[in-house]
Amino acid sequence: MSDFYIRTDQLAVGYNGTPLIRDITIRLNRGEILTLIGPNGAGKSTILKSIAGQLALLGGTVYLDGSDMRALSDKALSRKMSVVMTERIQPELMTCEDVVSAGRYPYTGRLGILSDHDRQVVHESMELVHALDLAACDFTQISDGQRQRVLLAKAICQEPEIIILDEPTSFLDIRHKLELLTLLKKMVRDKQLAVVLSLHELDLAQKVSDTVVCVHGDRIERCGTPEEIFTSDYIRELYGMTNGSYNADFGCLEMEPPRGEPQVFVIGGGGSGIPVYRRLARQGIPFAAGVLHENDIDCEVAKALAVRVVTEKAFEPIREETYQEALLLARRCGEVICCARTFGEMNRKNRELADECREKMRGRG
């Protein structure tokens, strides 16, 4: 038996006999999630279709549990692997329950008659993805997000050992994105499934994946754990970002900051400044921020959006010279906003800064 449940050796994939990506090496154990990320058009879907057998391989081999996948019959493969792709399927005159029930056909006879056990599995699969209320609905008449849940129920219904999903969260709202990924993690853990998927939501990929494969150009550029892959500099490089920034610590994007001399000075800390930073950035108002400790949650967002940020070393009280730097900068701004509500010993001078600025503003009035 193979050490890996699924592995590929020297895979080449493409269309019409022309390879788009070569030397694809993927290794995945049971009980793990592997996620493909990369720009639009990089070839993530092509790789998934090739692994799933929907596209003919142009080179290399896919092994499932140590066996060449091409040696498996369609029925045997269907018992091992289920696939959810982004293409719209248009089954005629089929309810959602009918679509999910199709996942049981690898276990039925030639007539496709479902047993009581099969129907119970269908019911449980739809219940898992909160789709029971759609059972009698025409599959072609429901929303994209509802279709995605029904198709996932069909995949679960097959009771596979590996699930392949292409952008499974694309049409889902926030609630159902989290429910789907939570369900996948639970199935991976409880049933020791192997899951291969592609995701555009980097924050979700960072949180759900055991292994991340980066598809870039005509190659697999990197493969590693989320901690190895998700750095701000590398994600910027992978996606060719020229505007804004990606914060690997928060798993979020920030827009390009306003340019020009700062018009507002923001005193924040402990997360209190972030909503103000983003509001000012949306309004196109250049601003400065401080005094922020280098380990403060506000600091990274301020660095991405502010014209200037006055910082202090982590776990150190604000020094007099840092305070004077912030005070001078604040006095040059037309407005000072203090977001911080509490002040401890480490940021005591921020209270002095706020008080000093208030006095200055009163003097101007």
Side-chain angles (χ1 to χ4, degrees), residues 67-106:
S67 299
D68 186 337
M69 201 174 83
R70 289 171 293 194
L72 298 173
S73 67
D74 289 344
K75 193 165 189 175
L77 182 59
S78 295
R79 291 188 177 194
K80 285 182 172 291
M81 177 188 291
S82 59
V83 182
V84 180
M85 290 294 173
T86 53
E87 286 87 352
R88 289 186 171 216
I89 64 171
Q90 295 289 343
E92 294 184 7
L93 303 177
M94 290 183 70
T95 66
C96 292
E97 186 174 16
D98 293 334
V99 172
V100 177
S101 297
R104 293 306 298 168
Y105 290 161

Side-chain angles (χ1 to χ4, degrees), residues 11 106 117 120 143 165 216 249 277 307 314 322 338 344 362:
L11 218 60
H117 172 70
Q120 180 63 28
S143 71
L165 306 106
H216 195 189
D249 294 327
Y277 304 156
V307 176
T322 307
C338 181
R362 289 195 192 101

Side-chain angles (χ1 to χ4, degrees), residues 164-176:
I164 295 178
L165 306 106
D166 189 17
E167 299 177 27
T169 57
S170 293
F171 301 114
L172 301 180
D173 59 31
I174 293 173
R175 170 194 162 187
H176 290 110

Side-chain angles (χ1 to χ4, degrees), residues 39 44 49 59 66 90 105 117 130 139 165 168 190 217 227 235 246 259 293 341 360:
K44 300 183 296 295
K49 288 177 182 177
Q90 295 289 343
Y105 290 161
H117 172 70
H130 304 287
F139 182 78
L165 306 106
D190 295 349
E227 293 73 26
I235 293 298
Y246 173 79
R259 303 297 182 186
H293 285 88
R341 293 292 176 262
K360 186 70 176 178

